[in-house]
Amino acid sequence: MPTDPLVTVRDLRVGAITDASRKVEIIRGVDFDVAPGEIVALIGESGSGKTTIALSLMGHARPGCFISGGSVRVGDFDVTGLSERARRELRGTEVSYVPQSAAAAFNPAKRIIDQVVEVTKIHRLMPRAEAEERARELFRALALPEADSIGERYPHQVSGGQLQRLAAAMALVGDPQLVIFDEPTTALDVTTQIEVLRAFRSVMEKTGMAGVYVSHDLAVVAQIADRVIVLKNGEIQEVGATEQILTAPEHPYTKELMAAFEPVPHVPVEVPHSSPKPILEVEHLSAGYGGKPGAEPTYRILKDINFKLERGRNLGVIGESGSGKSTLARAVAGILQPYEGAVQLDGEELKPDLHERRKDHLRRLQIVFQLADTALNPAVPVGTILGRPLTFYHGMKGERRERRVIELLDMVQLPGALRHRLPGELSGGQKQRVNLARALAAEPELILCDEITSALDTVVGAAILELLKDLQKDLGLSYLFISHDLSTVEAICDDVLVMLNGEVVEALPAQKMSTEATHPYSKLLISSVPKLDTAWLSGLEQDPELVARFTNR
């Protein structure tokens, strides 16, 4: 017997107000259903309307946007016809949301358990003791360690993968009928992503909840979704079962997305201004957190790191969440002062502390951070964000600075009109490209890239890699490229360092990583890269002892 849909969307239209106070339509006539217990994926490029449509299921629109037409029903509720007060009652009980950035979703000053059960207090769903027991049940179901006590910690005291699963627990504790997952594994390394996907799928299957999964990663979608909706420019291009979309796509745009998922071949870039000196040399670098600056820290993270990066070449750094990848970038940039070792830029030793470095050293070595939500000032327009380094490093003001801001946005494939918007009005991919443009504003020689393509869809991510190569060719740039995506590292990097527990356990040319890696941990990383195969995750067999030895699960 066919069942009635849990979600019914008909002729959904969403409008937005432009900088010139003109109304435009960004979602045009979208129709789809979601059955009880079904997981439907929304895929497409950044800006295609994935998150905008998903948020509309809660009756919510981003700043500057509004639901202008059509209808959305969830269960017995006409979401588009409800008052805002009634919609608030709906959120967390009938429909809930798991954000892309769990770090930005949690209050760092409050215990995790207090935040996870908050929805039960707001909606008066159950007594506090019952809510805490429900939360602990979810912690166990989501395979979180120390489920009975992890809630007593603060957000900064758990790993990224653990925090993302805790965000899911926060969404599930109110027992909703529908859960919206907004790119929840985008920023996670491959081994952590596997545990999160398994946990999500297990909980959804056991509870029978329906899900809408927003993602640009087709390999992830293959593991979790029953059906796929392909979007472009606010319109549906194709709808089909996941297997059909992956193996026999019909629409040209779907075929384009599939083609963009294919690995990009690495072609070494010949750069001008070659020099016998490495652009970056790191010797016996050790760093950590806690204690006095320059002294041995309370928590040691990096342990005796050594490597050289030749000018015009790219070095990839991969490893588990917590392995020390981002800490390495911060120590090289001077944000975190190491207690041992030295960093040289083009043969000149850099001061350990950022505040003691010469202005020219600051300009020549830039960093692009992973989390755009926390890296960009939410109260400042994009044009001001990009204009500040132009004034600081190059003394640009007025019209000259304005023209350069537009040029920088064009370099990262964003329209110049975006300079008037606030970061909160941009998609995740757009915010990350603004991050890159800010680094380019300094006209650097070396860019430390901390997961800069992890928030981008496959089409835009491939375009950004091509952009990085073009910039490298034109400007003689070098990149230290931190990533959990091995295909990305192989596409742009010449060499790879594999990090585990703050140490380099293997160093290989990027093109030999998949075939010649010898360390067991390197092999685990390679085996954890998702495939475009709906049976991949369920059929994945990894040595439990090896997984337990080398990961934080």
Side-chain angles (χ1 to χ4, degrees), residues 363-403:
R363 181 192 66 77
R364 292 163 62 194
L365 191 157
Q366 290 285 304
I367 184 169
V368 181
F369 296 101
Q370 176 181 1
L371 296 175
D373 284 323
T374 54
L376 301 177
N377 187 335
V380 177
V382 168
T384 303
I385 291 171
L386 299 184
R388 284 175 174 168
L390 294 176
T391 300
F392 180 74
Y393 291 115
H394 310 296
M396 291 187 186
K397 296 180 181 179
E399 290 185 10
R400 183 182 170 213
R401 187 171 90 162
E402 186 87 349
R403 286 195 303 271

Side-chain angles (χ1 to χ4, degrees), residues 173-492:
V173 73
D175 199 24
Q177 295 187 71
L178 174 69
V179 183
I180 298 167
F181 296 92
D182 191 358
E183 304 265 16
T185 64
T186 292
L188 303 179
D189 58 74
V190 287
T191 51
T192 306
Q193 181 174 252
I194 285 175
E195 71 180 67
V196 171
L197 284 174
R198 277 180 167 152
F200 284 173
R201 195 166 73 173
S202 172
V203 169
M204 298 298 282
E205 288 174 352
K206 288 177 182 176
T207 60
M209 294 177 186
V212 170
Y213 200 97
V214 175
S215 183
H216 62 254
D217 191 331
L218 293 168
V220 168
V221 165
Q223 312 315 315
I224 201 163
D226 301 300
R227 276 192 307 131
V228 174
I229 297 173
V230 182
L231 294 156
K232 183 180 183 183
N233 297 330
E235 296 179 320
I236 292 178
Q237 309 298 307
E238 185 171 356
V239 180
T242 304
E243 185 71 24
Q244 178 261 307
I245 293 292
L246 295 178
T247 59
E250 296 176 359
H251 195 279
Y253 177 66
T254 312
K255 294 177 181 178
E256 182 184 342
L257 287 179
M258 297 297 296
F261 194 82
E262 294 298 319
V264 179
H266 176 69
V267 179
V269 175
E270 292 187 12
V271 301
H273 318 302
S274 60
S275 168
K277 291 182 294 187
I279 184 68
L280 179 68
E281 187 167 4
V282 171
E283 297 177 328
H284 305 295
L285 192 70
S286 298
Y289 299 96
K292 297 180 180 179
E296 185 165 341
T298 307
Y299 303 101
R300 296 182 63 190
I301 306 297
L302 300 181
K303 304 156 191 171
D304 195 28
I305 304 295
N306 296 273
F307 65 86
K308 293 181 182 180
L309 173 56
E310 304 298 325
R311 182 179 290 276
R313 289 178 68 84
N314 304 323
L315 179 65
V317 182
I318 63 173
E320 177 85 4
S321 176
S323 64
K325 306 185 302 294
S326 294
T327 300
L328 174 60
R330 290 171 178 270
V332 170
I335 299 170
L336 174 67
Q337 185 174 340
Y339 65 93
E340 284 180 356
V343 176
Q344 293 185 12
L345 180 68
D346 202 22
E348 298 181 59
E349 186 164 337
L350 301 177
K351 296 289 186 182
D353 189 348
L354 178 72
H355 299 93
E356 297 178 359
R357 292 187 180 180
R358 298 202 321 255
K359 187 174 181 179
D360 187 54
H361 285 160
L362 297 177
R363 181 192 66 77
R364 292 163 62 194
L365 191 157
Q366 290 285 304
I367 184 169
V368 181
F369 296 101
Q370 176 181 1
L371 296 175
D373 284 323
T374 54
L376 301 177
N377 187 335
V380 177
V382 168
T384 303
I385 291 171
L386 299 184
R388 284 175 174 168
L390 294 176
T391 300
F392 180 74
Y393 291 115
H394 310 296
M396 291 187 186
K397 296 180 181 179
E399 290 185 10
R400 183 182 170 213
R401 187 171 90 162
E402 186 87 349
R403 286 195 303 271
R404 184 57 178 164
V405 165
I406 295 172
E407 289 174 0
L408 288 167
L409 288 170
D410 183 64
M411 287 171 67
V412 295
Q413 301 165 355
L414 291 174
L418 243 62
R419 68 190 186 281
H420 302 297
R421 295 193 191 178
L422 296 172
E425 298 171 359
L426 308 181
S427 70
Q430 289 170 331
K431 282 183 279 194
Q432 195 61 290
R433 282 178 277 169
V434 170
N435 267 341
L436 176 58
R438 179 169 57 182
L440 295 173
E443 298 181 12
E445 297 174 20
L446 171 64
I447 300 180
L448 312 180
C449 302
D450 191 358
E451 301 273 16
I452 68 168
T453 61
S454 66
L456 304 178
D457 59 76
T458 49
V459 173
V460 176
I464 289 295
L465 292 181
E466 288 303 314
L467 171 63
L468 292 174
K469 292 177 183 178
D470 290 341
L471 292 168
Q472 184 171 38
K473 191 182 303 181
D474 296 339
L475 305 175
L477 288 172
S478 303
Y479 302 113
L480 180 68
F481 207 94
I482 293 168
S483 180
H484 61 256
D485 186 339
L486 291 178
S487 63
T488 297
V489 168
E490 288 176 344
I492 195 167

